[in-house]
Amino acid sequence: MSVDEVAPHRRGRPPTLREVAAMAGVSIATASKALNGRQHVGSATRQRVQSAADALNFSPNALAQGMVAQRSGTVGLLTSDLVGRFSMPVLRGAEDAFGSEKMSVLLADARDDHIRQQHHLRALLSRRVDGLIVVGAQPDPRPSLGQDLGVPVVYAYAPSDDPQDMSVVADDVAGGRLAVDHLIRCGRRTIAHVTGDPTYGASHDRARGAVERLTEAGLAVAGGEVMYDSWSEAWGRGATRLLLEREPGLDAVFAGSDQIARGVLDALLEAGKRVPEEVAVIGFDNWEVLATGSRPPLTTIDPALENLGRVAALRLASAIEGRAGHGVEAYPCRLVTRSSTAPLH
Amino acid sequence: MSVDEVAPHRRGRPPTLREVAAMAGVSIATASKALNGRQHVGSATRQRVQSAADALNFSPNALAQGMVAQRSGTVGLLTSDLVGRFSMPVLRGAEDAFGSEKMSVLLADARDDHIRQQHHLRALLSRRVDGLIVVGAQPDPRPSLGQDLGVPVVYAYAPSDDPQDMSVVADDVAGGRLAVDHLIRCGRRTIAHVTGDPTYGASHDRARGAVERLTEAGLAVAGGEVMYDSWSEAWGRGATRLLLEREPGLDAVFAGSDQIARGVLDALLEAGKRVPEEVAVIGFDNWEVLATGSRPPLTTIDPALENLGRVAALRLASAIEGRAGHGVEAYPCRLVTRSSTAPLH
DNA sequence: TTGTACGCGTTATCAG
DNA sequence: CTGATAACGCGTACAA
């Protein structure tokens, strides 16, 4: 009852621990211990098992391991925009915060469709993910998934509206402040702020940071007020034309997004203004394809989304270990200088 | 030996079939059949089980199901660029080709790093994915993962270099042809082609399609030759300036990418040319943020990546069912007209 | 040091 | 129509 009943040549299927054990001439238990570095295994035996495993190209079945460990080694990533640009860096940061060996990422694109989201959620839960990261398409608060999911959840980029949940977001206020601070350090005094959709909380947060910093420097917003409209190049162009009429002495524009900044740049050039010599321009997002292709390349505020993803993963890992957290954590943005800003000589 | 030994209040853990069965007062086997719509179950019984399941908010453990079914209901998505724009639509198309209920997507970002790729591959395989979709960051052929992975593989966007593998890609030749065809239908006769990196096979494919169509119309490439350099706005601007000198009668430009097209547009405007009245411009990629923000909005060729993802998923599903395929399948691109092209009145 | 036996949650077979 | 029971692949007390 040893060698005879084993290795029934299971065609195609990946080798199992049983086959490894059989080949090494030991029991399954011993093989398991040997491969997992457990003690109470003779080193000679361990060697034999290891060789057998290598020979068979054995790779343990993570599903089976998960069954006994009561842990799948998998986290769900629920996103609202897969084509959008914001969830990707987050995802990427998250992915390498837990190494690929320990944890895999199950992706689900909810597309802002509530019912689709519920479907995906069920699917993820039935796969017994150890935790969930939810990343929104807009930086504004979103409805909580609830507390009774059975697994910890971390919201990234877009916070949950329930303070009981754990959220990590970019600090838009500090980002706005950082942008204006840079312009002031460049010696600019007549600084306008053209930003996007006024229904976005992020617009107001960035504007608030900007105005705060202006006020500290004894300055007012050029053009008389923050200009809200939409996150588009067209609006950037239009706003700039207005601005140029109202404020001939304009020497800097803080745009609420890189798209808007592109519009600002184009309108400025068209009006014969030199950038950055006469007017400096700074954007927000550090959307590479936009920021590096412009004329001149765009200085901008980077919301450090990859870092957000990293932190989200860390928080989630802690929560999985049992140390849950609450509330919204805001992380600093980063200034990326290119050529659209420069000191006023 | 019935109700007594069950429901030991397993704190926190999701309910199991056993608990559902206990609550409904039936055996596990019956509960399973009832929930799975199997026959040989009294409808009253079925009702009771269903209610119990609902009450407990039961959701079957997919890992356990996978163990017995020898199928995880999971596919791996191995991508080389998560931030890049090309893999995302593919991923999205794939994701909804197999409904979220049937199949979940395990994401892995290899980042063009070979060793990292191997790691991810092992992780995916140990999770017993039923199949693999590999999507590259560039449309050029990439090294095969090999045939002995134990699961079917489909390469999307970037084909495998092994014809034995199954690949689905965008038809760049047809795309180039489509672009020029559109320009010709608009009555243009002096058509230039400014494209990107000459080390990309895609540049040459698109150019080939373009030239073929030109030749059919008895036309030659304006400027004397296809202009290769890099996939950047700056090149688009530079090339256009050159072109304007060499070919004063220029009435259309086919740009090899939307980034290049943006540059072309800017240089044209700067030279006082009206688009599309005097010169028509068409891009390639349909990269929304670029194509809709430009002045005027850009007509472009959409490689239909989402469709590619869909087809990849379909092919993979077939292969999983046992009907494997081989070779490279090229899928048509789509013309998206905006305002940068128009008939010459 | 090694092996036996059980359990993880589910499905399928077969006997009642 | 219903219920034991045996897998699926693995980890781990516990016994030898």
Side-chain angles (χ1 to χ4, degrees), chain A residues 16-17 29 32 58 61 65:
Chain A
T16 70
L17 188 55
S32 174
F58 170 77
N61 184 328
Q65 290 181 313

Side-chain angles (χ1 to χ4, degrees), chain B residues 10 17 32 36 58 61 65:
Chain B
R10 307 137 27 82
L17 190 54
S32 175
N36 291 316
F58 170 77
N61 184 328
Q65 290 180 314

Side-chain angles (χ1 to χ4, degrees), chain B residues 38-331:
Chain B
R38 293 272 165 288
Q39 48 186 358
H40 307 307
V41 179
S43 59
T45 316
R46 193 184 297 274
Q47 277 299 337
R48 259 184 307 133
V49 174
Q50 191 54 261
S51 318
D54 292 346
L56 261 31
N57 197 356
F58 170 77
S59 149
N61 184 328
L63 276 59
Q65 290 180 314
M67 292 245 38
V68 12
Q70 295 292 335
R71 182 167 289 201
S72 66
T74 284
V75 302
L77 197 341
L78 197 55
T79 161
S80 311
D81 81 319
L82 216 41
V83 294
R85 168 189 170 273
F86 302 110
S87 41
M88 291 311 116
V90 174
L91 198 162
R92 185 176 186 138
E95 214 213 5
D96 54 59
F98 2 76
S100 66
E101 299 302 317
K102 294 294 300 174
M103 201 71 109
S104 287
V105 174
L106 230 20
L107 190 70
D109 181 12
R111 250 163 262 192
D112 260 334
D113 173 346
H114 181 68
I115 158 151
R116 189 189 296 262
Q117 185 185 83
Q118 290 309 104
H119 274 289
H120 274 126
L121 199 52
R122 288 195 72 82
L124 256 19
L125 258 18
S126 86
R127 296 234 140 65
R128 294 300 185 264
V129 292
D130 298 328
L132 238 29
I133 296 182
V134 180
V135 20
Q138 303 176 4
D140 279 27
R142 44 150 297 147
S144 171
L145 254 33
Q147 314 293 338
D148 48 357
L149 254 34
V151 295
V153 184
V154 174
Y155 298 78
Y157 192 56
S160 161
D161 60 5
D162 183 342
Q164 195 59 24
D165 289 325
M166 178 166 28
S167 309
V168 300
V169 303
D171 190 335
D172 282 304
V173 178
R177 163 178 293 272
L178 183 58
V180 170
D181 181 71
H182 174 63
L183 294 174
I184 289 175
R185 283 176 193 282
C186 285
R188 314 292 165 155
R189 308 283 300 171
T190 311
I191 303 173
H193 182 30
V194 178
T195 191
D197 193 329
T199 69
Y200 277 49
S203 325
H204 295 283
D205 289 343
R206 292 171 194 175
R208 182 148 56 87
V211 171
E212 279 177 13
R213 185 65 187 85
L214 282 173
T215 306
E216 286 173 18
L219 267 29
V221 186
E225 57 180 1
V226 175
M227 303 172 77
Y228 295 92
D229 192 301
S230 73
W231 305 106
S232 68
E233 293 191 49
W235 165 237
R237 293 189 292 260
T240 303
R241 285 187 214 105
L242 253 57
L243 222 37
L244 254 16
E245 287 180 19
R246 290 196 212 161
E247 199 79 56
L250 185 75
D251 63 11
V253 179
F254 166 33
S257 80
D258 287 347
Q259 293 183 64
I260 294 174
R262 285 294 298 251
V264 171
L265 243 26
D266 283 346
L268 248 21
L269 251 50
E270 193 169 292
K273 296 288 185 186
R274 287 176 310 147
V275 177
E277 292 80 358
E278 298 177 72
V279 183
V281 177
I282 186 168
F284 204 110
D285 285 344
N286 195 25
W287 195 338
E288 288 260 343
V289 66
L290 255 19
T292 61
S294 65
R295 220 171 4 162
L298 190 66
T299 293
T300 187
I301 301 296
D302 185 330
L305 298 175
E306 219 162 306
N307 181 52
L308 232 49
R310 262 197 43 246
V311 176
L314 261 28
R315 293 285 169 279
L316 189 58
S318 295
I320 291 174
E321 304 300 332
R323 302 191 311 278
H326 311 281
V328 178
E329 290 179 17
Y331 286 85

Side-chain angles (χ1 to χ4, degrees), chain B residues 4-52:
Chain B
D4 293 331
E5 358 189 296
V6 287
H9 188 45
R10 307 137 27 82
R11 48 173 292 250
R13 290 212 287 231
T16 70
L17 190 54
R18 162 139 93 221
E19 304 175 67
V20 174
M23 179 176 238
V26 300
S27 75
I28 297 184
T30 303
S32 175
K33 290 175 212 158
L35 260 23
N36 291 316
R38 293 272 165 288
Q39 48 186 358
H40 307 307
V41 179
S43 59
T45 316
R46 193 184 297 274
Q47 277 299 337
R48 259 184 307 133
V49 174
Q50 191 54 261
S51 318

Side-chain angles (χ1 to χ4, degrees), chain A residues 57 63 74 115-116 128 142 193 233 280-281 287 326 338:
Chain A
N57 197 357
L63 277 59
T74 284
I115 158 151
R116 190 191 296 261
R128 295 301 185 263
R142 44 150 295 147
H193 182 30
E233 293 191 50
V281 176
W287 195 337
H326 312 281
R338 295 200 177 86

